[in-house]
Amino acid sequence: MKILMVSSEAVPFAKTGGLADMVSSLSTALAKQGHKVKIVLPRYYCIDRTRLEALEGAMGVPMGGGEEWCKVYTASLPGLPPKNPIEAYFIDHEQFFGRDGIYGVPSEPDFLDNPRRFTFFCRAVFQLCRKIGWYPDVLHSHDWPAALAPVFLKFRERSGPFGNTVSVLTIHNLGYQGIYSKDNYQHTGMSWEIFYHAGFDDWNMMNLLKAGINSADSLNTVSPHYAEESKTQEYGFRLDGILRYRSADYRGILNGIDTDIWNPATDTFIPETYDINDMKGKKKAKEALQKEYGLSRNPDVPVIGLVSRLTGQKGVGELFGPAYGSAYSFCRDMDLQFAILGSGEAWCENELRSLSSQLPNLKAKIGYDERLSHLIEAGSDFFLMPSRYEPSGLNQMYSLSYGTIPIVRNTGGLTDTVENFNQDTGTGTGFMFDELNPQAVYNTIGWAIWAWYNRREQIEAMRTRGMKLDFSWAASAKKYIEMYEWTLKKTV
Ligand code: ADP
Ligand code: GLC
C-alpha cells in the first residue's frame, strides 16, 4: 500500500509531544512490513534547510481566490534500509513557517494565522503528490493541523489521480481542535454550502478538527479505552456526539513505542545500558540522575520521575497548583525524591522553580531535553502520570520497559497499558487511581512509597513484569493496515 502521512510533527524533525514519536515510529513499522510510506510536514524555521534536498522549481497552491507559492524539500527518515526508505517532504513557505515555533511561541502560544498556515499546508499536500507523481492509496492525517486534508480530498480532490485515495484521520488529542473565527474559512476557497455540509460550523466559529472528523473515510484514536471515553460527554470536548454518530467508522488502536530509540539495552543517553538480566546500569542511571538533579545520592530512597508538557491535561494543577497541588505535601511528608522535567504553562514553570528552592527532595528542570528525558526514565524508580485525560501516553510504556514503575490515573491509554498493583497477590505493573484530585495523588504516592519500603520483593517483581511486556509497533501497525484495507474496501 502507498500511505502518505500528513502531520505537523515528526521525529527527528519537529516535536512538541508524543504525536511526533508516533508518526515516525508508525511509519517505520509500516515500511518494515513492506508498505511505501511518505511523510509531509511544514518546513519550520527550526528544520535546517541545508540538511535537506530541494526539489526543483516552485509549487503553486490554491488559497482563497488565488495561489500561494512555495518550495519543497526532502530528506529520508533515519534508520531505514535504502531499499525501502521513507521520504519526508517539507513544505517551505517563508511567510507561514519561517519563524520560531511550531504552533506558537511563549508570547503567542497559538499564532493568529494558524488557520491560514495549516489550511495552506493541507492543500499543499495534493499539489505535492502531483509534483512528485505519487498518489497514495491512503491519506493519513493526524490531529487538527492536518484535519483539512480529508476535507479537501472529499470536497475538492476526489477525482482524477485521487479517485482511489481514501482518508484516515487519527485523533491524538481532542483538547486541541483548531477553533477559529469564520473569517478564516475564505482561505479554503470552498463555498459556504460546504462549510455547513462538511461540519466546520461550531457555534458560529470554524472548527477544523470537527470538519475533519465529519469528512474522513475512517477515524481512529490512539487507544481502545480512549476511543470509548471520547464518546462520552466527560471526555469528548463537545465532539462526543459526532464521534458517537461516526462510531461505525471509529476505532482505538494503541500506540507502540520505537524500541530503536527507547530501549535500556541500547540507549546511548544513559551512563550504562542494562536489561532484565543485569540491572547494574539502572543503579548507575539513578546515581547519575540524583547527581544531575542535586538530590542526595542515596540508592535506598525511591526516586519519582516526571517528564511532561506542563499543561492541565497532564494533571499539573493537582500536583503543583499553588495552595492546591499535593506535590508540596507528599515531598514534605514522605521519604522520597522527585525529579521533574517539563515545559509549558508559565504559572507552572514558576511554581516548579519555587518548589525546587523550598524542598530539598523536589528538583525541577524547565525546558525540553531529550537526553534528560531518557535519564529520568532509566534512573527513576517510579514515573508519575496523573493525567486528566490521556489518549495513549507513551511515557508510561517507556517507563515499563525501563523497569520504572508507573503511578498513573486510570484513564485512556494508561488503563490499557498499566495493571494496578494488588498487595495481597503481588500482581500488577503499576499504581493507579480513579479520581483526579490532589488527595488521590497523595494517597497513591503514599501507597507506592509504602510498598517500596515494606514490599520490596513485590516491587522488584513488578519491575521485571513491566520489562517483559512488548510495546513494539508490530502488532499495532497490523491494526492500522487492517483499518486501511477496511476503509479502501468500503470506500472505493
Ligand atoms: P503528549 O504527547 O500528550 O505530550 P506522550 O506521553 O504521548 O504525551 O508523549 C510525550 C513525549 O514527549 C515523550 O516522548 C516525552 O519523553 C516527550 N517530552 C515531553 N516533555 C518533554 C521535555 N520537557 N523534554 C523532553 N522530552 C519531553
Ligand atoms: C497526544 C496524546 C498522547 C499520545 C500522543 C501520541 O499528544 O496526548 O496521549 O500518546 O498524542 O499519540
Side-chain angles (χ1 to χ4, degrees), residues 257 262 264 274 282 305 376-378 380-385 394-408 418 429 463 466-467 471:
I257 64 175
W262 289 97
Y274 61 93
K282 185 156 180 75
I376 292 181
E377 285 292 4
S380 304
D381 298 296
F382 297 96
F383 193 93
L384 183 59
M385 287 179 80
L394 297 173
N395 273 310
Q396 81 281 13
M397 293 191 253
Y398 301 153
S399 300
L400 287 162
S401 54
Y402 277 68
T404 302
I405 298 171
I407 301 175
V408 303
V418 181
T429 54
R463 272 199 216 274
M467 290 179 86
F471 292 115

Side-chain angles (χ1 to χ4, degrees), residues 15-21 172-173 255 262 307-310 313-314 341-343 365-374 377 383 385 390-396 398:
K15 165 166 171 172
T16 69
L19 167 66
D21 297 282
H172 296 261
N173 200 329
N255 282 338
W262 289 97
V307 180
S308 185
R309 292 184 291 118
L310 302 174
Q313 177 196 347
K314 302 296 180 180
L341 169 65
S343 63
K365 292 194 190 282
I366 306 300
Y368 186 89
D369 188 327
E370 208 178 328
R371 179 191 63 83
L372 212 48
S373 72
H374 284 246
E377 285 292 4
F383 193 93
M385 287 179 80
E390 197 62 80
S392 164
L394 297 173
N395 273 310
Q396 81 281 13
Y398 301 153

Side-chain angles (χ1 to χ4, degrees), residues 157-212:
E157 299 278 7
R158 196 176 261 148
S159 57
F162 295 102
N164 293 323
T165 300
V166 297
S167 62
V168 169
L169 175 64
T170 298
I171 300 167
H172 296 261
N173 200 329
L174 278 175
Y176 303 85
Q177 300 179 6
I179 303 174
Y180 298 101
S181 149
K182 264 163 54 172
D183 300 345
N184 293 293
Y185 182 67
Q186 55 170 314
H187 304 304
T188 67
M190 297 191 295
S191 67
W192 286 104
E193 200 184 338
I194 294 178
F195 181 85
Y196 293 103
H197 189 50
F200 279 97
D201 190 29
D202 188 359
W203 292 90
N204 218 24
M205 301 282 279
M206 166 173 99
N207 184 326
L208 301 180
L209 185 64
K210 180 167 170 270

Side-chain angles (χ1 to χ4, degrees), residues 25 46 57 64 68 118 137 168 206 259 292 316 319 393 484:
S25 53
C46 64
E68 291 284 342
F118 290 105
D137 301 304
V168 169
M206 166 173 99
T259 46
E292 189 151 347
V316 294
L319 277 178
Y484 298 157

